Amino acid sequence: MPAIDRARLKSLMEREQKRFVDERPKSKALFERAGKSLLGGVPMNWMIKWAGAFPPFVRAAQGAHFYDVDGHRYVDFCQGDTGAMTGHSPSATIKAIEEQIRRGITLMLPSEDAVFVGEELQQRFGLPYWQFALTATDANRFSIRLARHITGRSRILVFNWCYHGTVDESFISLKDGIAQARRGNIGPPVDPSVTTKVVEFNDIPALEQALAAGDVACVLAEPALTNVGIVHPDPGFHAAMRAVTRKTGTLLLIDETHTICAGPGGYTRAENLGPDFLVFGKPIAGGVPGAAYGFTAEIADRIAQRQNLEDCDTGGIGGTLAGNALSLAAMRATISKVLTQEAFERMIPMAERWTAGVEKTIAEYNVPWHVTRLGCRAEYLFSSERPHNGTQAHEAMDFELERFMHLYAMNRGILLTPFHNMALMSPATDKGDVDHHTRVFHESVKELVG
Ligand SMILES: Cc1ncc(COP(=O)(O)O)c(C=O)c1O
């Protein structure tokens, strides 16, 4: 197997950096201007992580594509890191937004759309009760708080190298088996080992041991890890996790924010999981901020028993804008008309095609990488072995190589998700888009090792 020649990688990277900057004078000028009003010249601090010297500034996006201010057209496989998995600005969502925006945006009162969305989510995920938030982060936070409230337990458990949004408790990782604050975390309120236990994904004995003391309110888990590359559950993992959580009185919170790529009811419906809580955010409203969290009838009862009317607003769960009329109108249209079963039937074969294209190049050049897929999401990792847990997946990461692959792709009109090598198919992504990636990926690997 050819090793990556680092000197060659460096010189290719320099060439690509120059090309990126030379071809984007307008983005460069906007970035320089932004540097005078925005921290780091970007609206969100991690946007500096894009592989170019600055991010391309966007002029317009539609369906599976966007155009930058310099006139470049991109196939968007990032899709707003799942926020725009519907494709950009789907017409059904736009229509609902246009109609609602003239009828009121936010009220602190319910609309009929809230009921429609609750009923639809019930059908999709099999959980009877729902509440709304504006982000998946918040939906996770609120679920955790409710889980603590009703169990009277203070801690949660997460899997190593998970990501669930800006949830303070989740920024913990294992180093040589010891739980500690995750590298790079910003301003944790307390040492996360006070609030959180962490074990490796797919490690049932470790999970059993961690839950045995009965002090964990809930396990917060993606059904498959998606934020450190894709790590699939081993056969039997979910059944065993459910059994041990039930045995120890620990609630199970499944975060479907990314694994919604598995189908309209996410991984939970596809694999018949039985969580106590479920979170679904990002694309639920077609890119308009919105998220939902659902729970069982038993959880609803337990919440009701511990709530009284006078104090029910004290915890601030929800927030002023949660469940606003605009988000709910957008959710209604998106889940009933855009993220449909029929859409997944088009998206999943596109991800299969993308995977096959990448696999062919990996085999042709015998690079020690592999490609994996979950529904309409696919990803290549820099290891020949498929990881079983977050540590193995994290060890397969190669920051320098990843940046090169991303920049090479961007210079040729392809956007991957910035933090790893992930591609998401939207209902608008077509074979031509996928085959464009296959060609560019082939070229990049050929230049690297050919
Ligand atoms: C699995 C998962 N849950 C929750 C979130 C948080 O979503 P948001 O940033 O929209 O709050 C993310 C974000 O990447 C995620 O990957």
Side-chain angles (χ1 to χ4, degrees), residues 14 25 31 43 90 108 152 159 165 175 227 238 253 266 284 293 304 342 387:
E14 279 164 11
F31 182 66
M108 272 252 179
F159 292 104
K175 188 153 192 269
N227 283 293
H238 277 288
L253 163 47
I284 189 172
Y293 53 109
E342 185 271 328

Side-chain angles (χ1 to χ4, degrees), residues 119-408:
E119 289 164 354
E120 174 70 24
L121 294 173
Q122 228 173 33
Q123 295 305 314
R124 281 186 177 226
F125 295 105
L127 285 166
Y129 291 103
W130 290 86
Q131 291 281 275
F132 300 103
L134 285 180
T135 64
T137 295
D138 272 352
N140 278 326
R141 283 180 181 153
F142 300 153
S143 302
I144 290 169
R145 285 176 62 181
L146 288 169
R148 287 189 168 129
H149 189 60
I150 62 179
T151 59
R153 298 176 177 185
S154 64
R155 305 178 87 175
I156 70 159
L157 182 141
V158 296
F159 292 104
N160 203 21
W161 292 106
C162 67
Y163 184 73
H164 296 282
T166 322
V167 176
D168 287 318
E169 295 90 334
S170 65
F171 293 101
I172 187 164
S173 62
L174 287 171
K175 188 153 192 269
D176 304 325
I178 312 286
Q180 52 193 248
R182 187 151 148 195
R183 192 183 109 192
N185 188 26
I186 298 167
V190 291
D191 178 343
S193 61
V194 174
T195 57
T196 312
K197 297 186 181 184
V198 54
V199 299
E200 291 289 2
F201 196 65
N202 280 323
D203 188 345
I204 290 295
L207 183 68
E208 276 173 335
Q209 203 185 359
L211 298 185
D215 57 353
V216 173
C218 69
V219 171
L220 169 59
E222 278 194 284
L225 299 182
T226 65
N227 283 293
V228 60
I230 298 170
V231 181
H232 292 275
D234 289 342
F237 171 72
H238 277 288
M241 174 160 73
R242 190 60 280 206
V244 63
T245 48
R246 285 216 170 97
K247 190 171 131 209
T248 55
T250 313
L251 302 176
L252 179 60
L253 163 47
I254 292 285
D255 180 356
E256 288 278 7
T257 302
H258 276 183
T259 48
I260 191 67
C261 60
Y267 201 102
T268 292
R269 243 358 187 3
E271 297 296 325
N272 211 15
L273 309 184
D276 299 294
F277 284 94
L278 183 147
V279 161
F280 173 28
K282 292 202 183 182
I284 189 172
V288 171
Y293 53 109
F295 34 86
T296 61
E298 191 207 326
I299 298 292
D301 271 352
R302 289 170 72 182
I303 295 170
Q305 278 164 29
R306 302 209 34 161
Q307 230 174 29
N308 71 59
L309 190 59
E310 190 177 348
D311 298 329
C312 71
D313 58 336
T314 304
I317 283 195
T320 309
L321 298 179
N324 71 75
L326 185 67
S327 296
L328 281 158
M331 278 186 209
R332 177 178 188 154
T334 303
I335 58 178
S336 61
K337 298 192 177 128
V338 185
L339 285 181
T340 57
Q341 176 69 36
E342 185 271 328
F344 277 92
E345 281 163 17
R346 279 180 289 127
M347 288 144 79
I348 292 173
M350 288 305 132
E352 286 167 351
R353 190 178 180 96
W354 193 95
T355 305
V358 169
E359 210 151 43
K360 197 156 172 260
T361 293
I362 291 177
E364 182 183 340
Y365 290 95
N366 197 23
V367 279
W369 306 353
H370 74 276
V371 56
T372 189
R373 183 182 65 80
L374 177 62
C376 65
R377 175 185 303 272
E379 165 130 29
Y380 56 88
L381 276 86
F382 303 126
S383 68
S384 40
E385 295 297 317
R386 278 164 203 275
H388 282 273
N389 59 41
T391 295
Q392 289 170 4
H394 189 254
E395 279 166 1
M397 288 187 145
D398 183 328
F399 189 58
E400 198 183 20
L401 183 55
E402 180 181 300
R403 285 177 83 72
F404 169 72
M405 297 302 289
H406 284 237
L407 189 60
Y408 193 98

Side-chain angles (χ1 to χ4, degrees), residues 39-87:
L39 181 67
V42 286
M44 267 197 284
N45 81 330
W46 54 253
M47 282 190 190
I48 55 170
K49 210 172 165 183
W50 284 105
F54 43 81
F57 281 64
V58 177
R59 181 172 60 75
Q62 179 59 56
H65 304 107
F66 74 92
Y67 297 84
D68 70 17
V69 289
D70 290 288
H72 303 284
R73 178 182 190 262
Y74 300 79
V75 180
D76 189 357
F77 288 111
C78 168
Q79 297 283 346
D81 195 20
T82 310
M85 174 181 161
T86 50

